[in-house]
Amino acid sequence: MANMMESGKTSSRSSSLSNQTKPNEHVDDREHWLIRAKLQAPRQQIALIDRPRLMSSLEFALNRRLCLVTAPAGFGKTTLLAQWRQRLIANGAKVAWLTLDEGDAEARHFLAYVIFSLSEAGVDVGRLPLHAEQGLLELPLPSAIAQILEAVASADTSVALMLDDYHRLNSSDIDFILQRMLDTAPSNFTIVINSRASPSLMVPQLLAAGQGIEIGAEALRFSREETRAALDHNITENDLELLFERTEGWAIAIQLARLVGTTTNDANTTTDSLRGHSGHLATYLTDQIIAKLSPDIQDFLMRTSLCERFNAPLANALCQRQDSWEILRQLQALHALLVPLDDQQDWFRYHHLFADYLHDMLRRKRPELINTIHSTASQWFADNGYVSEAVRHARLAGDYNRCADLIQAAGGWELILFGGIGYLNTLLRNIPDRELSRFPRLLVAKAYLAVKHGQLVEARTLLESARQHADTPNALNDSRQGLGRDFLNVSILIDVYEDRWVSTESLQEIDLILQKISESDGVTRAILYCLETINNLAVGQFGQAQTANSSAFRAMRQGNTVLGLNYCYLHAGVTAFYQGKFRLAEANFWEAQRLAEDNFGADSGLKALSELLLNSLMFWSGSWQDDNAEKFRNAFDYAELYDGWFEVFAIGVDVEFASNRLYGNHRKSTAAIIRAETIAEKRGIRRLSRVADAHRLQQLADSGQDRAIAIELANTLNAACPLGVWRSQPEVWRPYQIIAPALASWYGRDDRQRALKILDDLVDCCRTFKASFYLLQALILRAQILDQMNERAKALASIIEAVSLAAEDRIMTPFRMHDGIQPLLYAAQKKLREDNADMVTLRFLSSCLEVLQFGNNKPKSDASTLFSPREYEVLLELMQGHSNKEIARTLDLTEHTVKFHLKNIFTKLHVDRRADAVSTARKLQLFP
């Protein structure tokens, strides 16, 4: 153990125990699962000796990436690092401390503790502690690591993170996280690991690169002079030589030898006994110490040794007494074997080797007490709000029934709704898989954990296992009882992710279930209303979707779940998006994003969902910039891995495909289709599979390649969605918005009449469902087909209606998706001007034409870039054979202005006659 004391005197702080009659409880220690004592280095009740040679070695570790201190138990690792920590703090460094145990082996749980420890050390980690309290529910682990390292890099001094007892984790997940942190650590950051064995990290590479140092057992051994200083009594050279030889500089053995001498008041007793002893030195010396204690105190030591930490009230419960503070005061003579865990000295733990000795002593003398002690500890921790430790002791007592009861009482699967994904994971780790099947409610909770990690197959398997292990079928059917309620909620959520509730019959079923749910059960009602919202969207009933979502908002607020509110805003935004109400959709997506960022972090999963939908909206409105594209891709990557359902995936795939199609990136368009197919297969979303097929057919129609494959695909889609199918199967309305245009594009190459029939049916579908966003897209494509069939009047009517639908919310990109649309739009502009249309529509149309001229559909000749937008309009009118007077009337110009623009056009085309201007423009292919 320790870097030993100089004398037998206790520190001044220790005397405070004698004046305390009750523990000083701290409310902060009871934040669900957080044990703040783990964030503080153990307080020593002994004066520490100087070890300049080790301190000198440690100084070389600062600002290297890794400092590794490895040795068996009892070599003083923790005390050495605690001593170095004080020196670093005195020199202005920020030093975070984290004492680890088996319960910290879950990745999010571990990172949450790292965040708290850095914050406790004074590192400005921004809002990360808020998200850590919620178990990093919506924060992807790579983002959490990146934000932690960014915060450290921003510190104005060196930062060290000291991880005590790392060997207790035995977790490859934590090894991976730590290696990632080491790989990308800023220059002012050092990770310090205290472990009994070398961890599974790239230690040799770091050492070879000069980025780390390692201090092992040999370096930690006390020298002869350090042994003399540690013993702190008059000792002959011969006795010192014997002690040094027998202890071999082992810190805990030297400490125990000193304690034996203190309890006998005779240094010679220790050395005399060592001469003849040949067994395990630490055990022998501990025997000598324990033998001098009263049976009462021995019993106290054995009972309390089963706890990772204990205080006087807990000791009273374990030992069935009321004077534990007095016992603790007497035990201060054991110095480093009893370690205070906080400044107030409310909480203590035993040195690990001493605790092991006491465990063995209890097993030998009173084995029948072990389970009883653990059960009592579990009860005390539960009564005082420390659920994690309560569950742990129930496990150690072998009482898995109690473990299950405690987890369920803490919230079970609903912990995730309130930010406790890591917390729930940690609690569930206390119950072995072989036992878990006895607790269907915990299987349900674990199923929802799998959902949040995107593991839908595993989630469904766990849910089915819960069904099989339910005591009776009625237990699942009764939604008023615990298991039935949990099963209903989680099965609904899994069904949503797998796109199972997509029919009008399902809406009737939801209504029946809602009638059975108590008004006081806000969470269940909220989930059902969200399901109703999604199902209404699936069958194109937007008004009913809005009504259901309003009810979901109220229920989510009643249930007090911000997580649920986020989803309500997303559903509201999607509902408005489908109706072409882009400004309303944008407001909802922005609010979802703000709520997610405020409550779950800038890199949360919920923020990723809102980012995907918001940037999709911006793409279709034509306001996408380069950074929007990157945000969209990152958000879609997250949704694919974790959290997403049909609406999210379909909107995302449409944008990913359309954006790459718009810019002619065939390879990335193919990648978008493959992504859709992968998601559809992995999650079993049949509607998304149809969307992927439709995009593939659209790609083939654009390229004109692989005709045989295209014909087969078109036949498949025709069979799946024949004309008018949406009337009897309204759940196909959304895939049909992609299928019908793809079929029309394909047939439009050879059979425009058939293409027109498909588009007429699509327009009817959109009008019926009031899906204005998709209606304007259908009208644009229909106008183009009609124009190709020389039906200019019908084409104009169709394109003008599309423009009118798009104008108010400025939905511009659908017009950019069609090559050769400019002449038709110019004709529409002329017609609208003649009809004295409103200026909002005319201005929007002018903006579209400007974007089409100088945006992605630029004329193929560089000469066209010389024209101003107005010159371009004049040239187009000229090419249609219109006179100056007709051009002036169409464009609301004077004839003099038309002549001025014509003069500029002639100059730029190097001609001097109208006919030559038209001929040259055609040769240069200035218009698609």
Side-chain angles (χ1 to χ4, degrees), residues 411-417 424 440-452 456 458-460 462-464 466 482-498 501 523-524 527-528:
W413 74 272
E414 287 186 47
L415 286 170
I416 298 174
L417 293 181
L424 177 58
R441 290 188 70 186
L442 298 190
L443 288 170
V444 172
K446 196 165 184 179
Y448 192 43
L449 271 176
V451 170
K452 295 304 292 182
L456 294 185
E458 181 181 350
R460 183 63 68 182
L462 286 164
L463 202 66
E464 185 57 34
L483 175 58
R485 178 179 176 275
D486 289 359
F487 191 88
L488 171 66
N489 285 324
V490 175
S491 62
I492 285 173
L493 291 167
I494 295 176
D495 285 347
V496 167
Y497 284 103
E498 293 182 337
W501 292 74
V523 169
T524 302
I527 290 172
L528 283 164

Side-chain angles (χ1 to χ4, degrees), residues 721-763:
C721 290
L723 296 182
V725 67
W726 47 270
R727 299 182 189 277
S728 58
Q729 300 177 38
E731 63 272 14
V732 306
W733 84 267
R734 176 61 176 86
Y736 194 51
Q737 305 311 307
I738 313 301
I739 292 171
L743 287 170
S745 295
W746 172 249
Y747 292 123
R749 298 167 60 89
D750 304 311
D751 188 349
R752 288 176 182 153
Q753 198 64 47
R754 184 173 185 178
L756 187 59
K757 285 182 180 179
I758 293 171
L759 291 172
D760 286 342
D761 185 62
L762 178 60
V763 168

Side-chain angles (χ1 to χ4, degrees), residues 638-658:
Y638 179 91
E640 181 181 1
L641 288 174
Y642 300 107
D643 197 5
W645 56 99
F646 172 77
E647 314 297 343
V648 171
F649 293 133
I651 290 172
V653 167
D654 289 352
V655 168
E656 189 168 35
F657 178 78

Side-chain angles (χ1 to χ4, degrees), residues 879-890:
M879 293 185 69
Q880 295 181 49
H882 295 153
S883 67
N884 288 2
K885 183 178 290 188
E886 290 172 324
I887 295 172
R889 188 185 309 119
T890 299

Side-chain angles (χ1 to χ4, degrees), residues 179-231:
Q179 186 63 59
R180 185 159 185 165
M181 294 178 75
L182 287 167
D183 290 342
T184 54
S187 60
N188 65 327
F189 190 36
T190 302
I191 297 176
V192 184
I193 296 176
N194 155 17
S195 179
R196 292 185 186 178
S198 186
S200 299
L201 304 171
M202 298 176 67
V203 175
Q205 292 88 331
L206 287 168
L207 296 179
Q211 290 297 323
I213 71 166
E214 182 173 10
I215 296 176
E218 287 305 313
L220 289 168
R221 294 185 190 278
F222 276 44
S223 67
R224 184 179 283 98
E225 290 308 310
E226 287 170 337
T227 302
R228 181 194 293 279
L231 291 171

Side-chain angles (χ1 to χ4, degrees), residues 241-439:
E241 186 65 31
L242 176 64
L243 271 171
F244 181 67
E245 178 186 339
R246 294 306 306 275
T247 61
E248 297 180 322
W250 188 19
I252 188 63
I254 295 169
Q255 171 68 358
L256 290 168
R258 193 203 65 76
L259 289 175
V260 171
T262 301
T263 56
T264 61
N265 294 316
D266 182 3
N268 292 327
T269 301
T270 303
T271 52
D272 288 342
S273 62
L274 285 176
R275 285 189 173 89
H277 176 70
S278 59
H280 191 278
L281 188 61
T283 302
Y284 168 74
L285 292 170
T286 306
D287 284 341
Q288 300 297 305
I289 295 168
I290 295 295
K292 305 298 181 182
L293 302 175
S294 68
D296 192 37
I297 291 184
Q298 289 186 33
D299 183 71
F300 179 95
L301 291 171
M302 286 190 295
R303 288 173 182 263
T304 54
S305 70
L306 292 182
C307 293
E308 290 281 342
R309 62 175 189 140
F310 64 93
N311 60 10
L314 174 55
N316 283 337
L318 298 177
C319 302
Q320 301 178 2
R321 62 194 308 150
Q322 297 300 318
D323 61 345
S324 292
W325 276 108
E326 176 59 26
I327 300 294
L328 285 168
R329 187 188 65 78
Q330 296 176 38
L331 287 175
Q332 285 191 325
L334 296 182
H335 300 299
L337 300 183
L338 180 67
V339 184
L341 296 178
D342 54 15
D343 290 327
Q344 294 78 23
Q345 298 196 19
D346 291 337
W347 290 93
F348 297 84
R349 72 165 173 84
Y350 295 117
H351 183 280
H352 295 314
L353 275 180
F354 189 50
D356 290 344
Y357 175 90
L358 295 172
H359 296 168
D360 184 63
M361 182 177 171
L362 182 62
R363 281 191 293 270
R364 286 185 286 107
K365 294 187 174 183
R366 302 292 303 277
E368 75 282 359
L369 287 180
I370 293 176
N371 284 350
T372 302
I373 293 170
H374 280 305
S375 294
T376 302
S378 176
Q379 186 64 55
W380 186 92
F381 278 119
D383 291 344
N384 286 272
Y386 305 113
V387 179
S388 293
E389 288 167 291
V391 175
R392 174 179 176 273
H393 280 284
R395 168 176 62 82
L396 292 171
D399 191 351
Y400 296 117
N401 290 329
R402 177 170 174 76
C403 287
D405 290 342
L406 287 167
I407 296 171
Q408 287 159 189
W413 74 272
E414 287 186 47
L415 286 170
I416 298 174
L417 293 181
F418 300 96
I421 189 168
Y423 182 29
L424 177 58
N425 232 338
T426 299
L427 293 178
L428 287 174
R429 287 166 67 95
N430 284 280
I431 302 180
D433 289 341
R434 66 178 183 277
E435 297 285 342
L436 200 63
S437 62
R438 295 199 293 114
F439 309 109

Side-chain angles (χ1 to χ4, degrees), residues 66-93:
L66 174 67
C67 174
L68 185 59
V69 181
T70 54
F75 272 82
K77 301 184 295 296
T78 298
T79 304
L80 174 66
L81 293 183
Q83 193 174 0
W84 185 37
R85 173 179 175 272
Q86 291 300 326
R87 181 174 294 195
L88 289 175
I89 291 173
N91 291 332

